[in-house]
Each structure stands twice: as C-alpha cells, then as structure tokens.
Amino acid sequence: MMNLVNLQGKRILVTQSDAFMGPVLCDVLAECGAEVVADTGSLLTVGRIASLVESAGQIDILVANLAIPAPGTQAVEVTDEEWETVFAHLVTPLPRLARAVLPQMIERQAGKILLMGSASALRGMKRRSTYSAARGAQLAYIQALGVEMAPHQIQVNAIAQNLVENPTYFPPEVQMLPVFQERIKWEMPLGRLVSAREDASFAAYLCTAAANCFVGQVFPVCGGWVPR
Amino acid sequence: MMNLVNLQGKRILVTQSDAFMGPVLCDVLAECGAEVVADTGSLLTVGRIASLVESAGQIDILVANLAIPAPGTQAVEVTDEEWETVFAHLVTPLPRLARAVLPQMIERQAGKILLMGSASALRGMKRRSTYSAARGAQLAYIQALGVEMAPHQIQVNAIAQNLVENPTYFPPEVQMLPVFQERIKWEMPLGRLVSAREDASFAAYLCTAAANCFVGQVFPVCGGWVPR
Amino acid sequence: MMNLVNLQGKRILVTQSDAFMGPVLCDVLAECGAEVVADTGSLLTVGRIASLVESAGQIDILVANLAIPAPGTQAVEVTDEEWETVFAHLVTPLPRLARAVLPQMIERQAGKILLMGSASALRGMKRRSTYSAARGAQLAYIQALGVEMAPHQIQVNAIAQNLVENPTYFPPEVQMLPVFQERIKWEMPLGRLVSAREDASFAAYLCTAAANCFVGQVFPVCGGWVPR
Amino acid sequence: MMNLVNLQGKRILVTQSDAFMGPVLCDVLAECGAEVVADTGSLLTVGRIASLVESAGQIDILVANLAIPAPGTQAVEVTDEEWETVFAHLVTPLPRLARAVLPQMIERQAGKILLMGSASALRGMKRRSTYSAARGAQLAYIQALGVEMAPHQIQVNAIAQNLVENPTYFPPEVQMLPVFQERIKWEMPLGRLVSAREDASFAAYLCTAAANCFVGQVFPVCGGWVPR
C-alpha cells in the first residue's frame, strides 16, 4: 500500500522544538520516517541562527515553529518593550532563518519551509494586538517568499492555527475555565480543540513531495474558527 | 513507520468517476487502501442518486466529483438552457447526494463528504459567469453543511482547484496553446499545472481520520492562482 | 463642499423594492439625488424581467436586491422544492437581469450592477445550506461578471451582508429573542445589528463614479461577523 | 440633497502627509469639509509621535498613512538593516500612534483610525518579502485593534491597496515601463491603475459616520488584483 506521507531520507529542522507545536511535530515527523533535527536553542540572534543551520548539515525542510506566550495587554497599554519582544521572537528570526537555509535549497533546487503560524492574523481578537501583528507579518512574509521561491522548486507555506491543543497557548488550566468552554461552544464549529496530532499530521503532509503544488499558501487549522 | 493516509477499511463513493478528477481519485484512493465505489452513472435525477446510494451499501466517505465542460459564453449571451444545464450537473446533485448519504453517516456518527470544487468560485474569470456561479453555490453549500454536520462527527470540506491537469478542463490540446502558456507564466506562481496526482493525494489526505479537524473548509489547490 | 455621493442624473433600478434592503435603498438613493425606479414585481420569469427592463428606459445602475426568507431546514430534510424555490428567487433572476440590462450599458460603455448579497456565503451556518448555496452562487457570479464587464467601464460588485437590520431577516420579534442577543454578543464584534441606513449608504457609495475602481469585489457588511 | 461624506466638524490627522497617499488624502478630506492636520514629520521615535498627537489637539480621526519605498531585494539577500528600516517606518509607529491617539477617543467614546495599508500583504510578490511582511503586520494589527475598540464606538479599519496611482510607488517612469504595461494587462482586471482620488474618496467615505458599522475590516482597493 502506498504511503503518501513517507518522509524517509528527509532531514527536517524543527525550531523551538520544546515549545508550541515542537514536541508533537518532532514525534509525528519522526514516525513518518524523517530524520528530525530538533533545536531548542534561542533564535534571538542572527549569529545563533547562522551557526545552527551551519552545524545542522543538509536541511531538506525547515519547520519554522516560533512561539512566545501571547500578551493579553490592552492596545493602549502596549509598551515598546512588549512589541519588540514579541517581534524578536516571532518575526525577526524568519528572514534570518530563510537567509541561512535557502542557499542550500536553491543549490539543490529542492526544499521546503513550513511555518507554524497563527489564525490570530486572520481574525481579530481583543487584547491580542501585538501578537496578531507579529503573526500577520509571518503570514504575509510566507506568501511573498513562497511566490519568490517557487521557480527554485522550493515550497514555502504556512499553517495558520488557533484553538489547537498545545502547552504554550492552551494548557489544561486554560481549557478548564468556564469562559473557555463557552468560547469553544460559540466560536468553534468543531466543538473541541484541534488535537496536537491532527495539526502535526497536516504539517507532515505539507512536508511531503505530494504537497509540491502549494505556493505561499496559508492553511487555517482551527476547527472552523476562521471560515477560510 | 506510520502511514497517515491509510484508508483501509474505508468505503469511498466517487461520483462521475470517469470525468474530471474521477480516474486519478479512484487510483490514489485505492492505492491508499480504500475500497472505492466508482460510479459513472448520471446524477441528473433524484431517483438515480437515491438508488445509487442505496445499492452502494456502507459509504464511509463521499467524494462529490461533479463536472461539466465550462461554457465560454459571454454573460450577455448566456441562455436559460446553459444556466439550467450547468446547475443541473454541478449544483442540484449536491443536496440530493447529501440527503441520500448523510442518514447512515449520522447514524454511525462518522463520515465525510469531500467536494472536488473549483477556485473559479474564488476569483473571477471572463466568460465563466455560469460556471463560476455554479461552483460558488457548491462551496457555500459545503461551508454551511460542514458547520451543521460537525456535531455528528461528520466532516464536510472542499477542494477549490484550478489549473490542475485533468482531461475535462485541461486536455493536452489546451495545454499546448500559446495563450495558455502565457497564462501559466503570468497567473500561476507554481509555473506549471498542478498534477492530477498532487490534487488526488491531497484529497486522499482529507479523507483520513487525521483530517477530522476540518469543518466546512475550502482548500484552494491551484498553484497560487488564488492567494488564499 | 464636495459631495462624493451625488447620484443626480442617475437612474437606478432597485428590484424587490418592498423587501430586504429595498425600502431603505430607495430612500437613501433618492436622498443622494438618484432617480429611483422601484420595482416590486416578481422576478420569477424571464419574460417579466425583460419587460421590466424594457419599460424602465435608461438604467444607469441596477441594484439587484433579491430576497426570500431563509428556510431553517436541516440539510437531510431539504427538499427539491425548497432548493428550487430559493434558487428561483435568489439565483436564476441574476443572469436574466444581466442579460436584460447589460446591452444598454455596454452600448454606453458605462453602468453598474450592485448585488445586495449575503455573508452567509462566506461563513457557514447550521440549517442554512440551501440559502447559503444560493447566496454563494450570487457572489461567485458577480466576481466573474465584474471581471468580464470591466473593459466596458461597467462595474459589477456585491455587498455581502449579515446581521443588518431589515424586515425580511431580522424583524423585531427575532431581535428580541434571548438566543439572538447571545448571538450578537458572541458573534458580532460590532455589538449591535448594522443599521439599515449604514448598509444602504455604503450601497449608495458603491453606486457613485468614485467607486469606478472596484471590479467584481465582494464587500462584507456585517459588523465583523466575517473577518474579511 | 443629502451629503453622505460630510466631514465638517471633524479634525483628521494625516501622517506622512507628503508621501504615499498623503497629498491626495489631504485634498479630498478637506474638500469633504474636514479640518485636516497634515503632518510631515518623522514617525521614527515614540517621543515624536507623542508630541505630535499632544500638539494636534482633538483628533477625531487618525489616517495612518505610512510609507517607505519597497525594497526589491531577493529574500536571501535581505539584510537585518533593511528589515529593521522597513519595520521602523511601517510597523513600529502604529502601536505608538494608537497609544497616543486612543485615550482621547476612548474618553469621547467616538473616533476612528484608518490605515492606508497594502494588498501586498494579501497576495505574494517576488522580491517583496520584507515589505509584504511589514504590511501584513499592519493589517493583522488593525483587525485586532478594530475588535478591541468596537465597544468604545471607535472604528479601526484599513484599506489594502495596490496599483493605485501615487508618487511613492508608481511614479510616471515606472508606469511607462513595458513590463509594467504587461503587468497591468495580466494582473489588473480594472485595466488601469486605480486613481489617487478614487482611493482617497473611499478613504473619505470610511471616515464618515455612515461607516460606523465596519469593525477591523480590510478593504482591498486594487482594481481586482486580489479577488477578495
């Protein structure tokens, strides 16, 4: 029987592998046959990113898993420090990662970048202005990079997730709050959180050769929280 | 090694299995382990649809593959006959298929409907008003049905494709036209048609349990022809 | 002072002028200086549409205001009759109206069609499958027609509204239901229904020469109910 | 006759009033009766933004017109300096402007922010990764801020424009390039650039009380370059 999500022979770099979707991504990608390079180091400096990629050897696929707990600040109280910190974690590493990892992909005329992004960039939420802005920068970056890299047979795409089980954003104590239950009931056509493995499985699919047809595309994975 | 797209034990009804994406869907779904019920009969009457579903036995997944060559009529010359014919083939069968196939899925609290729809509903094209309208009815129907069926653990989603290799819409003689080559160059970030197997593979993924998290979602498969 | 929404000298045909957004559209368009041709006749037959347009004389702008109360049928119980009735009211008149009204616009190389459509085609709702499908056909039709008509200096666009005050869909007795109040609270970032005049004012703007730059565009007017 | 776009009595702050859409915005808003506070100063420091707003007195509406020529750098050659410069001009000023201007609006429970954003955040383009990312941050910020501010009767929305006549992005020498003409032909259903006044007129409409129903909404103004 055919196995469409066979990642044998693929070396996949997963950043922030101990946060956000990192752990489940490493599990699922490895179960699909990939050789996972799981990095838990900081991505805050350009030097660290360059040396990470250099020491990682061949990278067939980069899974850009970037996370920071979302501040819940009112817009009028957002400080420059909050803004800078969130952008330093979620946005600035992206072009640096691209700069580090794309040359070898361009040379091979093959490769993929998959961003684990957020649907908070697609639908507004209160007290999420900083976070949404950073996530919006990510998605628009991926759209542009995808179009630019397509002629090199390199696919750059993004998952835009929300309401997916993960320890960074939806720890059990949040899931138990009555207001959270109400939110699921009203905002989530799925009626439950998306499971971590559902999200990671879709990411794994997007890492396969079968997904070579997608160009700078943003895939919502949020149980219907955004309609498209 | 895990096989995420293992469809063993799943009976999948593919309509119009000799047209549009039918042949490749039947191949890929079968290669992934599914038992494919390939139907080539007409879907123009409610009676035919009811008897098809009745005789098909258990249907775990319905792949609603509906097609008719797109008329190239100018809007001012569209006749009632053209409109009726296109809607009779692309639109009217959908609620009838749903009515026929959903009761057994609701009883099992499990099942899926996947529409092979068109991105022509997402981006306007000249001389495609009839066709686009019919494809638009499909996508909006799927979105609504998806939300309604989610509480029954039934997933209803759609692929919105364009510029995918298939004999109904892009036969070799069309692909060879210079104007078509120019169109690919300007309109298609991918730089080539999406292959039939890429499209069918994605459809196969959406038929798996791993894709239980998607609710009434429309997935463009068109090599970047629509941005989202 | 400049008046951007000066519709003096414009003859605007408003269909179903006694339903949905009809009354307020007639008021606002007239207050903006337009000569409004308010039609309350049936649009169910091609003959009636042709004679309406013929007798209306010059039509600079067609406001296609089509409505029928939305059935609340479960998808499995939708009958062919329901489907046909809803499509007969919301969908089939559109290409007939276009066929009737476009020749004079093409001859003048000037004109507009504005559809009063629905955001139910952009976001799924339970028990709205028939209605959503019909509204989806409308929007996709407008997108295609808009692209086709642009070279003729004719603008074809749509409002996709929901949760707008109007007697057809949100009569006072619906607005008073507790479940409706809860829905507004959870689903409607605006926190209230859009007023009929807000909607009609936007429609009036889209009827002006200032809006000549819009091509087959769908404008949500729903207080944030759909994000984009 | 009613004038829907009557801005008399409204004080509108337009930033970077000598760049991008600034000049035409000042003209059109003033022609519609507004008192325009046209600022040509730098927005690169938080202190400058705070003092600008303080000295401006009552601001009923902020038109956030932020621009910088878009770099045409390949993604692999984007430097940290380019990234920082573009974000410093397009992104960082936004939360600072919001922080400065919102308190008086919240106190009055009335006000508007309108961003002159870019459709480059909605559709990928080659060699525009930095710029697109910054424009994406803007749009997602506006969506979130819009939802947060709605309960205060403050409307926050954005125009996402492209292919609009303006001296910053489409000076005459660019418009005359043959490759630009080809691009218009293939990518622009409108068949011409959107005029500066069309864009500014729409902005003026969004500044009126009639537009109080829009919440964190992104309005493409690009002649069909993005379908929605």
Side-chain angles (χ1 to χ4, degrees):
Chain A
M1 195 173 60
M2 181 166 63
N3 183 347
L4 279 173
V5 192
N6 181 339
L7 295 171
Q8 274 183 318
K10 297 296 177 194
R11 298 192 85 232
I12 305 184
L13 173 60
V14 177
T15 62
Q16 279 191 250
S17 62
D18 53 354
F20 193 31
M21 306 311 298
V24 69
L25 281 167
C26 291
D27 287 353
V28 169
L29 293 170
E31 290 169 37
C32 291
E35 184 181 344
V36 177
V37 182
D39 182 69
T40 59
S42 164
L43 302 173
L44 294 184
T45 68
V46 61
R48 165 73 178 97
I49 288 174
S51 65
L52 160 65
V53 171
E54 204 174 354
S55 66
Q58 177 163 338
I59 300 173
D60 296 300
I61 299 163
L62 165 65
V63 177
N65 175 64
L66 304 172
I68 188 175
T73 319
Q74 292 188 39
V76 289
E77 288 170 2
V78 168
T79 60
D80 279 13
E81 290 66 36
E82 173 183 313
W83 194 268
E84 279 161 26
T85 303
V86 169
F87 273 67
H89 281 80
L90 296 183
V91 179
T92 323
L94 263 187
R96 292 169 174 174
L97 282 164
R99 203 156 73 216
V101 85
L102 282 173
Q104 57 169 285
M105 293 182 180
I106 291 172
E107 200 185 320
R108 288 193 298 269
Q109 293 284 296
K112 287 188 202 291
I113 296 177
L114 177 65
L115 172 79
M116 302 306 292
S118 169
S120 64
L122 303 177
R123 173 174 168 178
M125 286 186 287
K126 289 182 190 179
R127 293 171 173 257
R128 286 287 181 276
S129 60
T130 308
Y131 185 75
S132 296
R135 292 298 193 181
Q138 288 186 335
L139 294 189
Y141 178 75
I142 291 298
Q143 290 178 336
L145 190 63
V147 169
E148 184 171 332
M149 287 300 119
H152 297 294
Q153 321 303 328
I154 297 166
Q155 293 79 42
V156 183
N157 295 288
I159 283 175
Q161 66 180 69
N162 193 11
L163 297 163
V164 175
E165 264 193 313
N166 74 72
T168 303
Y169 299 112
F170 300 102
E173 60 270 25
V174 164
Q175 293 188 37
M176 277 168 206
L177 296 172
V179 71
F180 182 82
Q181 304 288 340
E182 271 243 276
R183 192 183 161 204
I184 292 289
K185 181 183 154 202
W186 279 97
E187 292 192 7
M188 190 75 172
L190 183 61
R192 60 165 172 91
L193 288 183
V194 175
S195 80
R197 287 190 76 89
E198 286 171 324
D199 191 33
S201 299
F202 192 63
Y205 183 84
L206 293 177
C207 288
T208 68
N212 282 0
C213 58
F214 297 113
V215 178
Q217 192 159 329
V218 170
F219 295 89
V221 176
C222 54
W225 184 72
V226 294
R228 193 171 288 169
Chain B
M1 194 171 62
M2 181 167 62
N3 185 346
L4 280 172
V5 192
N6 181 340
L7 296 171
Q8 273 184 316
K10 298 294 177 194
R11 300 193 84 232
I12 305 184
L13 173 61
V14 177
T15 62
Q16 279 191 252
S17 61
D18 53 355
F20 193 29
M21 305 312 298
V24 68
L25 281 167
C26 292
D27 286 353
V28 169
L29 293 170
E31 290 169 38
C32 291
E35 184 181 346
V36 177
V37 181
D39 182 70
T40 59
S42 164
L43 302 173
L44 293 183
T45 66
V46 61
R48 165 69 179 101
I49 287 173
S51 66
L52 160 64
V53 171
E54 203 173 355
S55 67
Q58 177 162 338
I59 299 173
D60 297 300
I61 300 163
L62 165 66
V63 176
N65 175 63
L66 305 171
I68 188 174
T73 319
Q74 291 189 38
V76 289
E77 288 170 2
V78 169
T79 60
D80 279 13
E81 290 66 36
E82 173 184 312
W83 194 268
E84 280 160 26
T85 303
V86 170
F87 273 67
H89 281 79
L90 296 182
V91 179
T92 323
L94 262 188
R96 291 170 174 173
L97 281 164
R99 204 156 71 216
V101 85
L102 281 172
Q104 56 168 285
M105 292 182 181
I106 290 172
E107 200 184 321
R108 288 194 298 269
Q109 293 284 295
K112 288 190 202 291
I113 296 176
L114 177 66
L115 171 79
M116 302 307 292
S118 169
S120 65
L122 303 178
R123 174 174 167 177
M125 285 186 288
K126 288 182 191 181
R127 294 171 172 259
R128 287 287 180 275
S129 59
T130 309
Y131 185 75
S132 296
R135 291 298 192 180
Q138 288 187 335
L139 293 190
Y141 179 74
I142 291 297
Q143 290 177 336
L145 191 62
V147 169
E148 184 171 332
M149 287 300 120
H152 297 294
Q153 320 303 331
I154 297 166
Q155 293 80 42
V156 183
N157 294 287
I159 283 175
Q161 67 180 68
N162 193 10
L163 298 163
V164 176
E165 265 192 312
N166 74 73
T168 304
Y169 298 112
F170 299 102
E173 61 270 24
V174 164
Q175 294 188 37
M176 276 167 207
L177 297 172
V179 71
F180 183 81
Q181 304 287 340
E182 271 243 274
R183 190 182 163 205
I184 292 288
K185 182 184 150 200
W186 279 97
E187 292 192 8
M188 190 74 173
L190 184 61
R192 59 166 173 89
L193 288 182
V194 175
S195 79
R197 287 190 77 88
E198 287 171 323
D199 191 32
S201 298
F202 193 63
Y205 183 84
L206 293 177
C207 288
T208 67
N212 282 1
C213 58
F214 297 114
V215 178
Q217 192 159 329
V218 171
F219 295 89
V221 177
C222 54
W225 184 72
V226 294
R228 193 171 288 170
Chain C
M1 195 172 59
M2 180 167 63
N3 184 347
L4 280 173
V5 192
N6 181 340
L7 295 171
Q8 274 184 317
K10 297 295 177 193
R11 299 194 83 233
I12 305 183
L13 172 60
V14 178
T15 62
Q16 277 191 251
S17 62
D18 53 355
F20 192 30
M21 305 312 299
V24 69
L25 281 166
C26 292
D27 287 352
V28 170
L29 293 170
E31 290 169 38
C32 292
E35 183 182 346
V36 177
V37 182
D39 182 69
T40 59
S42 164
L43 302 173
L44 293 183
T45 67
V46 60
R48 164 73 178 98
I49 287 173
S51 66
L52 159 65
V53 171
E54 204 174 354
S55 66
Q58 177 163 337
I59 300 174
D60 297 299
I61 299 163
L62 164 66
V63 176
N65 175 63
L66 304 172
I68 187 175
T73 320
Q74 291 188 39
V76 289
E77 289 171 2
V78 168
T79 60
D80 278 13
E81 289 66 36
E82 171 184 313
W83 194 269
E84 279 160 27
T85 303
V86 170
F87 273 67
H89 282 79
L90 297 182
V91 180
T92 322
L94 263 186
R96 292 170 174 172
L97 282 164
R99 203 157 72 217
V101 86
L102 282 173
Q104 57 169 284
M105 293 182 181
I106 291 172
E107 201 184 320
R108 290 193 298 267
Q109 293 285 294
K112 287 188 203 290
I113 297 177
L114 177 66
L115 171 79
M116 303 307 291
S118 168
S120 65
L122 303 178
R123 174 174 167 177
M125 285 186 287
K126 289 182 189 180
R127 293 171 172 256
R128 287 288 181 275
S129 59
T130 307
Y131 185 75
S132 296
R135 291 298 192 180
Q138 288 186 335
L139 294 189
Y141 178 74
I142 291 297
Q143 290 178 335
L145 190 63
V147 169
E148 185 170 331
M149 288 300 119
H152 297 292
Q153 320 304 330
I154 298 166
Q155 294 79 42
V156 183
N157 294 288
I159 283 175
Q161 67 180 68
N162 193 13
L163 298 162
V164 176
E165 265 192 312
N166 75 72
T168 305
Y169 298 113
F170 300 102
E173 60 269 25
V174 164
Q175 293 188 39
M176 276 169 206
L177 296 174
V179 71
F180 183 81
Q181 304 288 341
E182 271 243 275
R183 191 182 162 205
I184 292 289
K185 180 182 153 202
W186 280 96
E187 292 192 7
M188 190 74 172
L190 184 61
R192 60 167 173 89
L193 287 183
V194 175
S195 80
R197 286 190 78 89
E198 286 171 323
D199 191 32
S201 298
F202 192 63
Y205 183 84
L206 294 177
C207 288
T208 67
N212 283 0
C213 58
F214 297 113
V215 178
Q217 192 158 328
V218 171
F219 295 89
V221 177
C222 55
W225 184 72
V226 294
R228 194 173 290 169
Chain D
M1 194 173 59
M2 180 167 63
N3 184 346
L4 280 174
V5 192
N6 181 340
L7 295 171
Q8 273 183 318
K10 297 295 177 193
R11 300 193 83 233
I12 305 184
L13 172 61
V14 177
T15 62
Q16 278 191 250
S17 62
D18 53 355
F20 192 31
M21 306 311 298
V24 70
L25 280 167
C26 292
D27 287 353
V28 170
L29 294 170
E31 290 169 38
C32 291
E35 183 181 347
V36 177
V37 182
D39 182 70
T40 60
S42 163
L43 302 173
L44 294 183
T45 66
V46 61
R48 165 71 178 100
I49 288 173
S51 65
L52 160 65
V53 171
E54 204 173 356
S55 66
Q58 176 161 338
I59 300 173
D60 295 300
I61 299 164
L62 164 66
V63 177
N65 175 64
L66 304 172
I68 187 175
T73 319
Q74 292 188 38
V76 290
E77 288 171 2
V78 168
T79 60
D80 279 13
E81 289 65 38
E82 172 184 314
W83 194 268
E84 279 160 27
T85 303
V86 171
F87 273 68
H89 282 80
L90 296 181
V91 180
T92 323
L94 262 187
R96 291 170 175 172
L97 282 164
R99 204 157 71 216
V101 87
L102 283 172
Q104 57 169 282
M105 293 182 181
I106 290 172
E107 200 184 321
R108 289 192 299 267
Q109 293 284 295
K112 288 189 201 291
I113 297 177
L114 177 65
L115 171 80
M116 302 307 290
S118 168
S120 65
L122 303 178
R123 174 174 167 178
M125 285 186 286
K126 288 181 190 180
R127 293 170 173 257
R128 285 288 180 275
S129 58
T130 307
Y131 186 75
S132 297
R135 291 298 192 180
Q138 287 186 335
L139 294 189
Y141 178 74
I142 292 298
Q143 290 177 336
L145 191 64
V147 169
E148 185 171 331
M149 287 301 117
H152 297 293
Q153 321 304 329
I154 297 166
Q155 293 79 41
V156 183
N157 295 288
I159 283 175
Q161 66 180 70
N162 193 12
L163 297 163
V164 176
E165 265 192 311
N166 74 74
T168 304
Y169 298 113
F170 300 102
E173 61 269 25
V174 164
Q175 293 187 38
M176 277 167 205
L177 296 173
V179 71
F180 183 81
Q181 304 287 341
E182 271 244 275
R183 192 182 162 204
I184 293 289
K185 181 182 153 202
W186 279 97
E187 292 192 5
M188 190 75 173
L190 184 61
R192 59 166 173 90
L193 287 183
V194 175
S195 80
R197 286 190 77 89
E198 286 170 324
D199 191 32
S201 298
F202 192 63
Y205 184 84
L206 293 178
C207 288
T208 67
N212 282 0
C213 59
F214 297 113
V215 178
Q217 192 158 329
V218 171
F219 295 89
V221 177
C222 55
W225 184 73
V226 294
R228 193 171 288 170

